[in-house]
Amino acid sequence: MDARDASDVNPGGFHVLALNCGSSSLKFGLFGARGCEMHPRVTGEAQAIGSSAGLLRVRDGRGGTTLHEETVAIADSVQAFTRIARLLAGLDVPAPDAIGHRIVHGGPQLRTHARIDAAVMAQLEAASIFAPLHVPTALAVVRAAQARYPSLPQVACLDTAFHAGLPEAARTLPIDRALQADGVQRYGFHGLSCASILAHWPEAPPRLVIAHLGSGASVTAVRDGRSVDTSMGMTPNGGVMMATRSGDLDPGVLAWLVREKGMDARGLERLIDHRSGLLGVSGISGDLRRLRQLERKEPVAKLAIDMFVLSVRKQIAAMAAVLHGIDALVFTGGIGEHDAQARADICEGLGWAGIRLDESRNRGGALRIGTRDAACEVRVMPSEEERQICRHVHVLLAGAGDQREDSASSPPPQSPSSFDACNQAGSG
């Protein structure tokens, strides 16, 4: 069943259920597609998956009213999905016509969003080696959704797709060229977040830097709507310092850990994924909010915050250099959207690039937080990954065809997004 068939069956429009699977959370949204506009019917999330005190929340998509909230043990993401599906079935909302899944990494072969069939599933399973913290969990949810909704099309929406057209100098990593055949290259991540910014701001100026700052964090340079460089590399571990991930690290440190401490690959992964970043430096927490509470009396908490701020500032400066200047800077993600102090501290060292914040607007929740006379516009914008998933699903199923590209050596030409027609018409 494609989107046109579904629209004929469902007179209320075409509805997409977006599933955004994280390492310990599962966000979701049911959106109705009308033309190029995506209207949320219900949204929500399961948080603290794997703990005895998980949180499951469902909100009305139009007014934000909480429809359901409970604290409950959630063993894993599959159980979270099962609970979410049951809740949706009991609400007065349309059944989905398609399911869209955020997949962090598609590997070297799968570089664009694609309807999931056996071949695509095999490619995604092979890509698990590039993002073992994310992809296996997401694929477990895909299988659960296929079992729950066997007649519905399921679509893989890739974080790496936005960066598929990176210039060769940005895509190529400075190691033995022979390793490129194994998929060793820069892929880039948070692509759905970046695409959602461009969908919401189609008139964005030509030289744009997007700082997606959350428990995972990256900085991306966008020229004329296209990704031209980004801080994360082959995996989601590189670039800026994160909650529990190291970000960029002298590779000699890893060689030393293997040689002198006897660490194997699994031990290194645990270190750089779970015991580094804000948590590793502070020894207290990877949650910036918690460290803020302690920074005046715990020097290690302040050190971790200062290091995070500096790493983001350095990446923004690097991306400004890639772009030969910067016209606009966008903060998004949990920290980027909600931590005014972090934004102020990051921007404090970037006056040379024309970035100057208006303190009252920065702390007052404004969209535009730069001073009016600054050369670079600074904005705070929400990362609408679930809405973006629905856009991609709708466009792909409504007639864009199977957007797979099976050649890693010649990635597909990148457009500002995979929904240019909607952008030209003004997306919702």
Short mmCIF file of all heavy atoms in Angstrom, two decimals, residues 311-347:
data_model
loop_
_atom_site.label_atom_id
_atom_site.label_comp_id
_atom_site.label_asym_id
_atom_site.label_seq_id
_atom_site.Cartn_x
_atom_site.Cartn_y
_atom_site.Cartn_z
N SER A 311 34.76 22.73 23.76
CA SER A 311 34.75 21.82 22.60
C SER A 311 33.71 22.25 21.58
O SER A 311 33.95 22.17 20.37
CB SER A 311 34.50 20.38 23.06
OG SER A 311 33.18 20.19 23.51
N VAL A 312 32.55 22.73 22.04
CA VAL A 312 31.52 23.20 21.11
C VAL A 312 31.98 24.47 20.42
O VAL A 312 31.83 24.64 19.20
CB VAL A 312 30.18 23.42 21.84
CG1 VAL A 312 29.15 24.00 20.87
CG2 VAL A 312 29.67 22.12 22.45
N ARG A 313 32.55 25.41 21.20
CA ARG A 313 33.03 26.67 20.63
C ARG A 313 34.07 26.41 19.54
O ARG A 313 34.04 27.03 18.47
CB ARG A 313 33.61 27.55 21.73
CG ARG A 313 34.01 28.94 21.25
CD ARG A 313 34.77 29.68 22.33
NE ARG A 313 34.00 29.80 23.55
CZ ARG A 313 34.54 29.84 24.78
NH1 ARG A 313 35.85 29.73 24.92
NH2 ARG A 313 33.77 29.99 25.83
N LYS A 314 34.99 25.49 19.79
CA LYS A 314 36.03 25.17 18.81
C LYS A 314 35.42 24.60 17.53
O LYS A 314 35.88 24.93 16.43
CB LYS A 314 37.02 24.18 19.42
CG LYS A 314 37.92 24.81 20.47
CD LYS A 314 38.64 23.76 21.31
CE LYS A 314 39.64 22.96 20.53
NZ LYS A 314 40.41 22.04 21.42
N GLN A 315 34.39 23.75 17.65
CA GLN A 315 33.78 23.18 16.46
C GLN A 315 33.00 24.22 15.67
O GLN A 315 33.00 24.19 14.43
CB GLN A 315 32.88 22.00 16.85
CG GLN A 315 33.64 20.74 17.24
CD GLN A 315 34.36 20.10 16.06
OE1 GLN A 315 34.07 20.38 14.90
NE2 GLN A 315 35.31 19.24 16.37
N ILE A 316 32.33 25.13 16.37
CA ILE A 316 31.63 26.21 15.66
C ILE A 316 32.63 27.05 14.88
O ILE A 316 32.42 27.42 13.72
CB ILE A 316 30.81 27.07 16.63
CG1 ILE A 316 29.65 26.26 17.21
CG2 ILE A 316 30.29 28.34 15.94
CD1 ILE A 316 28.89 26.97 18.32
N ALA A 317 33.77 27.37 15.52
CA ALA A 317 34.81 28.15 14.85
C ALA A 317 35.35 27.40 13.64
O ALA A 317 35.58 28.00 12.57
CB ALA A 317 35.94 28.46 15.83
N ALA A 318 35.53 26.09 13.78
CA ALA A 318 36.02 25.29 12.66
C ALA A 318 35.05 25.31 11.50
O ALA A 318 35.44 25.43 10.33
CB ALA A 318 36.28 23.85 13.11
N MET A 319 33.75 25.18 11.80
CA MET A 319 32.75 25.18 10.73
C MET A 319 32.63 26.56 10.07
O MET A 319 32.36 26.66 8.87
CB MET A 319 31.40 24.71 11.27
CG MET A 319 31.41 23.28 11.78
SD MET A 319 32.05 22.10 10.56
CE MET A 319 32.39 20.69 11.61
N ALA A 320 32.84 27.62 10.86
CA ALA A 320 32.86 28.96 10.26
C ALA A 320 34.01 29.07 9.27
O ALA A 320 33.88 29.70 8.21
CB ALA A 320 32.98 30.02 11.36
N ALA A 321 35.14 28.45 9.60
CA ALA A 321 36.28 28.46 8.68
C ALA A 321 35.97 27.67 7.41
O ALA A 321 36.33 28.09 6.30
CB ALA A 321 37.52 27.89 9.38
N VAL A 322 35.30 26.54 7.56
CA VAL A 322 34.91 25.74 6.39
C VAL A 322 34.03 26.55 5.45
O VAL A 322 34.17 26.48 4.22
CB VAL A 322 34.17 24.46 6.85
CG1 VAL A 322 33.50 23.77 5.67
CG2 VAL A 322 35.13 23.51 7.56
N LEU A 323 33.13 27.34 6.04
CA LEU A 323 32.16 28.11 5.26
C LEU A 323 32.70 29.45 4.78
O LEU A 323 32.00 30.20 4.10
CB LEU A 323 30.89 28.35 6.09
CG LEU A 323 30.07 27.10 6.45
CD1 LEU A 323 29.01 27.44 7.49
CD2 LEU A 323 29.41 26.52 5.20
N HIS A 324 33.94 29.79 5.17
CA HIS A 324 34.52 31.11 4.86
C HIS A 324 33.68 32.22 5.47
O HIS A 324 33.43 33.26 4.85
CB HIS A 324 34.65 31.33 3.35
CG HIS A 324 35.57 30.35 2.69
ND1 HIS A 324 35.87 30.38 1.35
CD2 HIS A 324 36.27 29.29 3.17
CE1 HIS A 324 36.69 29.39 1.03
NE2 HIS A 324 36.94 28.72 2.13
N GLY A 325 33.22 32.00 6.67
CA GLY A 325 32.37 32.97 7.36
C GLY A 325 31.07 32.31 7.77
O GLY A 325 30.76 31.19 7.34
N ILE A 326 30.30 33.00 8.60
CA ILE A 326 29.06 32.42 9.10
C ILE A 326 27.97 33.48 9.11
O ILE A 326 28.16 34.59 9.62
CB ILE A 326 29.28 31.82 10.52
CG1 ILE A 326 27.98 31.28 11.11
CG2 ILE A 326 29.95 32.81 11.45
CD1 ILE A 326 28.20 30.51 12.42
N ASP A 327 26.83 33.14 8.51
CA ASP A 327 25.69 34.05 8.46
C ASP A 327 24.70 33.79 9.60
O ASP A 327 24.00 34.71 10.03
CB ASP A 327 24.95 33.91 7.13
CG ASP A 327 25.84 34.23 5.94
OD1 ASP A 327 26.56 35.24 6.00
OD2 ASP A 327 25.81 33.46 4.96
N ALA A 328 24.61 32.54 10.03
CA ALA A 328 23.65 32.21 11.08
C ALA A 328 24.12 30.99 11.85
O ALA A 328 24.75 30.08 11.30
CB ALA A 328 22.27 31.94 10.48
N LEU A 329 23.82 31.02 13.15
CA LEU A 329 24.10 29.90 14.05
C LEU A 329 22.80 29.48 14.70
O LEU A 329 22.07 30.32 15.24
CB LEU A 329 25.11 30.34 15.13
CG LEU A 329 25.34 29.39 16.31
CD1 LEU A 329 25.95 28.07 15.84
CD2 LEU A 329 26.24 30.05 17.35
N VAL A 330 22.50 28.19 14.65
CA VAL A 330 21.29 27.66 15.27
C VAL A 330 21.67 26.70 16.39
O VAL A 330 22.46 25.78 16.19
CB VAL A 330 20.40 26.93 14.25
CG1 VAL A 330 19.26 26.19 14.95
CG2 VAL A 330 19.83 27.91 13.23
N PHE A 331 21.10 26.94 17.57
CA PHE A 331 21.21 26.00 18.68
C PHE A 331 19.96 25.14 18.73
O PHE A 331 18.83 25.65 18.68
CB PHE A 331 21.35 26.74 20.01
CG PHE A 331 22.69 27.39 20.23
CD1 PHE A 331 22.86 28.74 20.03
CD2 PHE A 331 23.77 26.63 20.66
CE1 PHE A 331 24.10 29.35 20.24
CE2 PHE A 331 25.01 27.22 20.87
CZ PHE A 331 25.18 28.58 20.66
N THR A 332 20.15 23.84 18.83
CA THR A 332 19.01 22.93 18.95
C THR A 332 19.42 21.75 19.82
O THR A 332 20.55 21.66 20.29
CB THR A 332 18.53 22.47 17.56
OG1 THR A 332 17.29 21.78 17.68
CG2 THR A 332 19.55 21.56 16.90
N GLY A 333 18.51 20.79 20.06
CA GLY A 333 18.77 19.69 20.98
C GLY A 333 18.46 20.11 22.40
O GLY A 333 18.21 21.30 22.69
N GLY A 334 18.45 19.15 23.32
CA GLY A 334 18.03 19.43 24.69
C GLY A 334 18.82 20.53 25.37
O GLY A 334 18.25 21.44 25.98
N ILE A 335 20.15 20.49 25.27
CA ILE A 335 20.98 21.53 25.87
C ILE A 335 20.88 22.80 25.04
O ILE A 335 20.73 23.91 25.58
CB ILE A 335 22.44 21.06 25.96
CG1 ILE A 335 22.56 19.87 26.92
CG2 ILE A 335 23.35 22.20 26.40
CD1 ILE A 335 23.93 19.22 26.92
N GLY A 336 20.98 22.67 23.73
CA GLY A 336 20.94 23.84 22.86
C GLY A 336 19.67 24.65 23.00
O GLY A 336 19.68 25.88 22.92
N GLU A 337 18.54 23.96 23.23
CA GLU A 337 17.26 24.66 23.34
C GLU A 337 16.98 25.20 24.73
O GLU A 337 16.28 26.22 24.87
CB GLU A 337 16.13 23.70 22.95
CG GLU A 337 16.13 23.28 21.49
CD GLU A 337 15.11 22.19 21.21
OE1 GLU A 337 14.00 22.27 21.77
OE2 GLU A 337 15.42 21.24 20.46
N HIS A 338 17.52 24.56 25.77
CA HIS A 338 17.06 24.86 27.13
C HIS A 338 18.11 25.41 28.08
O HIS A 338 17.75 25.89 29.16
CB HIS A 338 16.44 23.60 27.75
CG HIS A 338 15.32 23.03 26.95
ND1 HIS A 338 14.14 23.72 26.73
CD2 HIS A 338 15.20 21.85 26.29
CE1 HIS A 338 13.34 22.97 25.99
NE2 HIS A 338 13.96 21.84 25.70
N ASP A 339 19.38 25.38 27.72
CA ASP A 339 20.42 25.86 28.64
C ASP A 339 20.97 27.19 28.15
O ASP A 339 21.90 27.24 27.35
CB ASP A 339 21.54 24.82 28.77
CG ASP A 339 22.47 25.09 29.94
OD1 ASP A 339 22.74 26.28 30.22
OD2 ASP A 339 22.93 24.13 30.58
N ALA A 340 20.38 28.28 28.64
CA ALA A 340 20.79 29.62 28.22
C ALA A 340 22.23 29.91 28.60
O ALA A 340 22.95 30.59 27.87
CB ALA A 340 19.85 30.67 28.82
N GLN A 341 22.66 29.42 29.76
CA GLN A 341 24.03 29.67 30.20
C GLN A 341 25.03 29.00 29.27
O GLN A 341 26.07 29.60 28.95
CB GLN A 341 24.23 29.18 31.64
CG GLN A 341 25.58 29.57 32.24
CD GLN A 341 25.76 31.08 32.31
OE1 GLN A 341 24.91 31.78 32.85
NE2 GLN A 341 26.85 31.59 31.75
N ALA A 342 24.73 27.79 28.85
CA ALA A 342 25.63 27.11 27.91
C ALA A 342 25.73 27.90 26.61
O ALA A 342 26.83 28.06 26.06
CB ALA A 342 25.14 25.69 27.64
N ARG A 343 24.61 28.38 26.10
CA ARG A 343 24.64 29.17 24.86
C ARG A 343 25.49 30.43 25.05
O ARG A 343 26.30 30.77 24.19
CB ARG A 343 23.23 29.55 24.44
CG ARG A 343 22.35 28.37 24.05
CD ARG A 343 21.08 28.83 23.34
NE ARG A 343 20.24 29.68 24.17
CZ ARG A 343 19.21 29.28 24.87
NH1 ARG A 343 18.86 28.00 24.85
NH2 ARG A 343 18.48 30.13 25.58
N ALA A 344 25.31 31.10 26.19
CA ALA A 344 26.06 32.33 26.44
C ALA A 344 27.56 32.03 26.54
O ALA A 344 28.39 32.77 25.98
CB ALA A 344 25.56 32.98 27.73
N ASP A 345 27.92 30.98 27.25
CA ASP A 345 29.33 30.65 27.42
C ASP A 345 29.97 30.24 26.10
O ASP A 345 31.12 30.60 25.81
CB ASP A 345 29.48 29.51 28.43
CG ASP A 345 29.11 29.94 29.85
OD1 ASP A 345 29.04 31.15 30.10
OD2 ASP A 345 28.87 29.05 30.69
N ILE A 346 29.26 29.49 25.29
CA ILE A 346 29.79 29.07 23.99
C ILE A 346 30.03 30.28 23.10
O ILE A 346 31.07 30.41 22.43
CB ILE A 346 28.83 28.08 23.32
CG1 ILE A 346 28.84 26.73 24.06
CG2 ILE A 346 29.18 27.88 21.84
CD1 ILE A 346 27.69 25.81 23.69
N CYS A 347 29.09 31.20 23.08
CA CYS A 347 29.17 32.36 22.18
C CYS A 347 30.13 33.43 22.67
O CYS A 347 30.55 34.29 21.88
CB CYS A 347 27.78 32.97 21.98
SG CYS A 347 26.65 31.92 21.04
#
